[in-house]
Amino acid sequence: MKKFKNILYAGGVVASLLLFNSCQSDLTSLNEDPKHPSTVPTGNLLATSMFQGFYYMYTGSVNFNNYRFFTQQWTETTYVQETNYNLTTRAQPRNHFRRMYVYTLAPLEQAKKDLPTEINADADVVNNKWATLEIASIFVWENIVDTFGNVPYKEALQAETIKSPKYDDAKSIYLDLITRLDAAIAKINKTKAGYPEDLVYKGDMNKWVKLANSIKLRLAINLADVDPATSKSVAESAISGGVIDSNDSSYSLKFDGNTFTNPLFDDLVASGRNDFLPSDVIVNPMNAKSDPRRGAYFTQIGGAYKGGVYGTLNTFSNFSHVNPTFLTGNAPANLLSYTEVLFLKAEAAARGYNAGGTAAGLYAAAVTASMTENGISATDAAAYILANPYNATNWKQSIGYEGWVAMWNNPFAAWNFVRRLDSPVLTAPASSYIGGMPYRMPYSDQEYVVNNANVSAAANAIGGDKATTKLFWDKN
């Protein structure tokens, strides 16, 4: 997967997708070299997409999504523009938009087109492979919608016929993604395998069903304040269908440290730079609560946990650092965890849904899962929960804060908790380039060049293409 072949992105942008070289044309089609195929096996396309998606949703690079700054859990040392939400100098919206559409979604769409042409003896396995591609696609679509809002959807990824795709309403995309998840789940035969090239579940379709239902649950909970009836119905359907129920079924990619390297290793170790620190915004409240996860998250400085001041210049040697366990080349990226699912179930129960338990019980289970995930003893976890119990009268604060802390190393998920529950309350730095906090990513600047009419209409529809514009589901 080190060769490149040019393809067209749905908006007309030419980009590079990791593909094998095709063989040279011969005098006759009978003389094809099987070691150098003209088309890429769909399993390789899946693996390429999964690596790209995990890498760039999880990255700490200032050149991409900046989720770790949107949640104020990291701060900077050498530069301060990104922690003050300068999203234009490094063109982060353009870079993330392109990575998700061209490098992550496009291979999956190509694989779905090519799958029927591959030799597959078992129809159930073909269905399982199709469902795998579909669920992996939907996971990426949720990231795109919850990053930008209205985006190209129905007309996207059709560059051969549509050069300037229209932007679809974000809620309509949500509802379609839910329908697609149900259809994918219905196709799966859990007694048969899927793709051996699957980097996460190795073709275990039981786990793909759990992931699909967990994505449904995440979508449903995001809908809660804007469409409570749909939210309740979809959430209860997802939970009864079977969501992620252990760390073993979390959507987590363990990088091999060679072909696939953890991006935090690239950002904080291989780069040879000392640009990032845990911020005081997360370290200080964890100190106030004597949170036992501090040792798992941060190093100590002078026998204490000390976060860099968010949004200002900081001297690297004067503050705590990110724990080196997150920074090895083969460390995992966990993009939809058992811990997150438990917090989503706790929120569902708090909203009056049938979530398979009480809000207080699921909250305690979620905090315990976070502690266990980070190597904290059951005794310390129980003591922490006793000191910081579920607050039924202010459940958004309880679940929002604890979800944000637990998602320390899954910044996109943390951003969803903060935006949906408004807890913790994050304050924009005084020098914020956007005049407030970021609730979405502005559209790619290149879209205004290649797809101006449609992106301009989308900007008007959402209330302005600003980082401070809230998504359709972010009502409170």
Side-chain angles (χ1 to χ4, degrees), residues 14-52:
V14 177
S16 295
L17 168 65
L18 289 170
L19 296 176
F20 292 126
N21 267 0
S22 61
C23 63
Q24 295 294 322
S25 297
D26 207 328
L27 295 176
T28 170
S29 61
L30 298 177
N31 292 331
E32 292 183 356
D33 182 355
K35 294 183 179 180
H36 298 86
S38 57
T39 58
V40 182
T42 61
N44 290 359
L45 290 169
L46 171 67
T48 295
S49 171
M50 293 179 84
F51 169 68
Q52 290 286 324

Side-chain angles (χ1 to χ4, degrees), residues 92-331:
Q92 294 97 329
R94 178 203 311 170
N95 296 336
H96 189 70
F97 193 80
R98 180 182 295 169
R99 281 288 165 184
M100 293 300 104
Y101 274 99
V102 179
Y103 293 84
T104 310
L105 278 179
L108 296 171
E109 290 304 306
Q110 188 62 49
K112 282 190 279 186
K113 292 177 183 177
D114 293 347
L115 182 61
T117 69
E118 289 187 338
I119 298 174
N120 292 284
D122 191 322
D124 287 333
V125 172
V126 174
N127 283 339
N128 284 351
K129 288 181 175 181
W130 179 88
T132 298
L133 297 169
E134 180 75 341
I135 296 164
S137 296
I138 292 165
F139 186 82
V140 179
W141 276 118
E142 187 255 328
N143 173 271
I144 293 171
V145 175
D146 286 344
T147 298
F148 295 101
N150 295 5
V151 291
Y153 179 66
K154 290 181 180 178
E155 294 186 355
L157 305 169
Q158 302 179 53
E160 297 86 353
T161 56
I162 301 175
K163 306 300 182 186
S164 301
K166 292 180 181 178
Y167 281 56
D168 290 273
D169 171 72
K171 185 181 178 184
S172 71
I173 299 174
Y174 253 56
L175 298 179
D176 192 59
L177 294 178
I178 292 166
T179 299
R180 287 172 62 181
L181 284 167
D182 286 336
I185 292 169
K187 273 188 173 285
I188 291 174
N189 182 332
K190 293 190 286 187
T191 68
K192 299 289 183 70
Y195 278 108
E197 300 90 344
D198 169 6
L199 298 179
V200 176
Y201 295 136
K202 313 304 180 188
D204 185 337
M205 300 312 298
N206 287 279
K207 293 178 181 178
W208 278 100
V209 170
K210 292 176 184 179
L211 173 64
N213 280 315
S214 299
I215 300 169
K216 272 180 64 177
L217 179 60
R218 188 191 259 183
L219 293 167
I221 296 301
N222 279 348
L223 285 170
D225 289 332
V226 69
D227 190 344
T230 299
S231 173
K232 183 176 188 294
S233 173
V234 174
E236 291 179 349
S237 169
I239 293 167
S240 65
V243 292
I244 291 169
D245 55 4
S246 69
N247 288 328
D248 184 58
S249 56
S250 293
Y251 195 47
S252 177
L253 173 60
K254 189 176 190 298
F255 297 90
D256 67 7
N258 184 12
T259 305
F260 304 117
T261 309
N262 183 298
L264 298 194
F265 169 80
D266 294 340
D267 298 333
L268 282 77
V269 179
S271 67
R273 299 180 62 90
N274 297 319
D275 289 345
F276 305 116
L277 297 167
S279 85
D280 58 347
V281 177
I282 188 169
V283 175
N284 288 353
M286 291 182 75
N287 279 338
K289 292 174 179 286
S290 298
D291 194 317
R293 288 168 290 191
R294 289 172 297 169
Y297 289 4
F298 323 120
T299 64
Q300 290 189 343
I301 181 76
Y305 300 104
K306 185 178 181 182
V309 179
Y310 186 81
T312 67
L313 283 173
N314 295 278
T315 301
F316 186 77
S317 59
N318 290 348
F319 298 95
S320 295
H321 302 154
V322 176
N323 190 309
T325 59
F326 297 117
L327 308 181
T328 61
N330 63 350

Side-chain angles (χ1 to χ4, degrees), residues 48-67:
T48 295
S49 171
M50 293 179 84
F51 169 68
Q52 290 286 324
F54 270 87
Y55 193 99
Y56 288 102
M57 289 184 201
Y58 182 75
T59 183
S61 171
V62 295
N63 297 310
F64 289 91
N65 51 59
N66 288 185
Y67 295 140

Side-chain angles (χ1 to χ4, degrees), residues 72 83-85 426-439 467-468:
Q72 296 191 352
T83 48
N84 284 279
Y85 311 128
L426 303 180
T427 303
S431 300
S432 172
Y433 282 74
I434 61 174
M437 286 295 299
Y439 297 109
T468 52

